[in-house]
């Protein structure tokens, strides 16, 4: 059984378009995250939700908007895509806010042309 | 500011032992994690340290010194499948976020 899944795995789109990435976890975890990994492999936190409540909102352009319809889902919508948005986006989950290991999804490779 | 430093790349031979260092400067400290990431795949959890000392898990061990802002990951009996990037991540005090280093790419040679 897949623990943390993301769709799509690959996303190629043009500048200016709007796109969404979906994430689901079946681990019963309370906390979910979005990370961006750039070409230099630097993994940077973008957002985190705990029980559907936004708890981390890093300095990202407001073109990025997360949505958590329930504890098991955390989606990422990106408006007006730019070349610099090209990266791998990872969703992750953990049991809660305490110091738990994170379980990462397979990643979504976004390429903006 | 918050800063985590790791060597960019390391090379070792199959069967050998390798130590990957991580130094950090954060506003307070609330735990350090090591993750393994194979090329094109997701990071997977290896170890967690919050108190000083050594945590051992099979071929992998992780050490922490909070006073020195220093950790290392020790990999013994290296195998080809250990070729991957190793990411150090720190949680600062009073925050729920994890700050990742840029990772160390380890190449294991036959």
């Amino acid at each position: 059984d897949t623990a943390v899944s993301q769709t799509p795995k690959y996303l190629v789109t043009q500048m200016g378009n709007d796109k969404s990435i979906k994430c689901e976890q079946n681990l019963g975890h309370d906390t979910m995250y979005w990370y961006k990994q750039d070409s230099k492999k630097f993994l940077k936190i973008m957002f985190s939700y705990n029980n559907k409540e936004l708890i981390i909102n890093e300095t990202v352009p407001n073109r990025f908007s997360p949505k958590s319809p329930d504890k098991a889902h955390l989606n990422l919508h990106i408006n007006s895509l730019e070349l610099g948005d090209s990266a791998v986006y990872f969703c992750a989950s953990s049991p809660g806010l305490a110091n738990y290991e994170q379980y990462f999804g397979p990643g979504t490779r976004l390429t903006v042309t | 500011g918050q800063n985590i430093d790791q060597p960019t790349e390391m090379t070792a031979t199959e069967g050998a032992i390798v130590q990957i260092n991580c130094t950090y400067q954060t506003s307070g400290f609330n735990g350090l994690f090591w993750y393994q990431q194979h090329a094109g795949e997701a990071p997977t959890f290896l170890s967690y340290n919050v108190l000083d000392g050594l945590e051992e898990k099979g071929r992998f061990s992780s050490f922490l010194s909070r006073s020195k802002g220093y950790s290392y990951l020790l990999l013994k009996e290296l195998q080809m499948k250990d070729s991957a990037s190793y990411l150090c991540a720190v949680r600062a005090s009073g925050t729920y976020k994890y700050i990742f280093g840029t990772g160390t790419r380890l190449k294991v040679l036959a």
Side-chain angles (χ1 to χ4, degrees):
Chain A
D1 278 346
T2 304
V4 183
S5 59
Q6 292 178 231
T7 52
K9 191 163 172 61
Y10 299 97
L11 187 52
V12 181
T13 188
Q14 292 184 328
M15 280 173 54
N17 284 348
D18 303 339
K19 290 292 177 187
S20 291
I21 307 172
K22 295 187 175 182
C23 177
E24 177 181 0
Q25 54 97 1
N26 62 7
L27 297 166
H29 288 171
D30 286 345
T31 310
M32 296 184 73
Y33 310 81
W34 276 114
Y35 286 89
K36 179 181 180 181
Q37 189 169 46
D38 60 25
S39 56
K40 294 183 179 175
K41 306 303 179 189
F42 180 53
L43 199 61
K44 190 172 190 307
I45 184 88
M46 298 173 70
F47 302 103
S48 177
Y49 274 75
N50 186 63
N51 278 321
K52 301 196 297 175
E53 181 188 346
L54 182 66
I55 56 162
I56 296 173
N57 186 355
E58 281 297 281
T59 312
V60 299
N62 57 14
R63 299 181 293 104
F64 289 77
S65 53
K67 276 198 174 59
S68 182
D70 56 57
K71 267 185 4 174
H73 296 85
L74 180 60
N75 303 324
L76 183 66
H77 188 75
I78 315 169
N79 288 328
S80 304
L81 278 155
E82 299 177 359
L83 292 176
D85 297 332
S86 295
V88 180
Y89 292 84
F90 284 102
C91 175
S93 74
S94 64
L97 290 173
N99 275 346
Y100 295 109
E101 65 186 88
Q102 294 174 73
Y103 294 76
F104 285 82
T108 295
R109 182 173 293 277
L110 171 65
T111 305
V112 183
T113 60
Chain B
Q2 327 251 46
N3 196 44
I4 298 179
D5 284 317
Q6 302 178 235
T8 305
E9 229 175 69
M10 298 182 73
T11 304
T13 307
E14 201 175 11
I17 299 173
V18 72
Q19 177 175 311
I20 302 174
N21 296 327
C22 170
T23 56
Y24 62 89
Q25 292 170 315
T26 55
S27 46
F29 175 83
N30 198 16
L32 185 143
F33 297 77
W34 283 96
Y35 285 83
Q36 180 190 60
Q37 186 177 24
H38 285 101
E41 296 183 12
T44 55
F45 171 78
L46 287 178
S47 70
Y48 166 63
N49 296 72
V50 67
L51 299 176
D52 291 352
L54 191 68
E55 293 283 339
E56 295 189 78
K57 247 189 189 184
R59 293 190 300 115
F60 293 6
S61 305
S62 57
F63 171 83
L64 175 67
S65 168
R66 288 172 296 170
S67 62
K68 294 181 180 174
Y70 168 70
S71 172
Y72 67 71
L73 180 70
L74 194 71
L75 292 76
K76 302 175 190 172
E77 300 168 17
L78 278 172
Q79 301 175 11
M80 300 297 287
K81 67 178 182 179
D82 297 329
S83 292
S85 287
Y86 291 85
L87 311 176
C88 172
V90 173
R91 201 177 209 190
S93 301
T95 175
Y96 296 121
K97 68 179 182 181
Y98 299 83
I99 303 158
F100 280 80
T102 50
T104 299
R105 192 162 61 247
L106 173 68
K107 293 181 189 174
V108 179
L109 306 175

